Amino acid sequence: MWPGQTLRLPRAGNGAVEVLRVETSWIGQRPRGLLRRFREPSDLDLDASAVCFSQGQPVDVVFFRHLVSDDGSIRHSGDSLTTPGPTSESITVDLARVPVHVDAVVFTLNSFTGLTFAEVRTVTLRLFDDTAGRELAACALPANGTSTAYVLAKLSRLGTDWQVTALQVPANGRTFQDLMPAIIPLL
């Protein structure tokens, strides 16, 4: 998916998506420069989050310290620290169970340790129909620069259906709370 591209997720009929899985994966860079001997790739701690909104106001969040939404419809796979190999975190959304007052869910990825994406070799965002076990979309994000976070995508309610819009907006912040000023204008 390219930034701004939208994917409609029908909930009835042929091609219905019942459970959406949003997976972020990354590989950390080998540290460079004078401090390389003091830092390991594991110093990079990226965290995926899902912030639920109702009429532009945050009403719930799922992240590494709150793995299940208050209503149980959204689940986080748990915190994964960067290792020398690929690392990932997933968030699943049971679309039928999301409360009717929630009209958007925004997915973010941030560097909890404050290291920038210049410390990341690759970052990939993948969307899956988790029930059918099929990939719906994938994209690689720019893994360089001075940002410490991305506002990845927005899941929006359309009557009884949902749609996902790729945002891929670079931002700065160590937590989803830090990203709220970047998220709100994207709703």
Side-chain angles (χ1 to χ4, degrees):
M1 292 182 76
W2 299 99
Q5 186 177 4
T6 298
L7 175 66
R8 192 169 178 129
L9 306 174
R11 286 187 38 205
N14 191 16
V17 176
E18 296 175 20
V19 178
L20 175 71
R21 179 167 40 104
V22 178
E23 179 183 283
T24 54
S25 58
W26 61 91
I27 299 174
Q29 291 275 32
R30 198 60 157 144
R32 297 177 300 235
L34 294 173
L35 299 177
R36 71 180 172 271
R37 72 179 113 173
F38 301 109
R39 241 186 43 246
E40 292 297 319
S42 60
D43 292 343
L44 178 67
D45 180 11
L46 298 183
D47 294 314
S49 302
V51 184
C52 302
F53 288 88
S54 177
Q55 298 179 358
Q57 297 299 312
V59 293
D60 199 356
V61 66
V62 174
F63 69 115
F64 70 94
R65 289 189 180 150
H66 187 241
L67 295 176
V68 180
S69 61
D70 293 341
D71 56 66
S73 65
I74 303 174
R75 297 183 176 276
H76 193 293
S77 63
D79 195 16
S80 291
L81 298 177
T82 301
T83 61
T87 308
S88 68
E89 292 185 10
S90 295
I91 297 173
T92 56
V93 181
D94 185 337
L95 298 172
R97 292 185 58 201
V98 176
V100 294
H101 71 279
V102 173
D103 52 28
V105 180
V106 176
F107 301 94
T108 65
L109 182 66
N110 56 274
S111 171
F112 188 72
T113 55
L115 295 175
T116 69
F117 277 87
E119 303 293 330
V120 181
R121 188 176 339 154
T122 62
V123 180
T124 305
L125 171 65
R126 297 170 71 195
L127 304 177
F128 293 90
D129 175 343
D130 216 37
T131 305
R134 65 185 169 111
E135 184 175 293
L136 300 171
C139 65
L141 284 80
N144 54 33
T146 59
S147 67
T148 60
Y150 273 102
V151 181
L152 297 171
K154 175 177 65 171
L155 176 66
S156 305
R157 189 184 296 271
L158 295 172
T160 60
D161 290 342
W162 291 88
Q163 70 180 17
V164 179
T165 303
L167 300 172
Q168 303 174 23
V169 175
N172 285 297
R174 293 181 47 238
T175 66
F176 70 89
Q177 294 102 325
D178 297 340
L179 301 180
M180 293 307 280
I183 294 171
I184 297 296
L186 300 171
L187 295 174

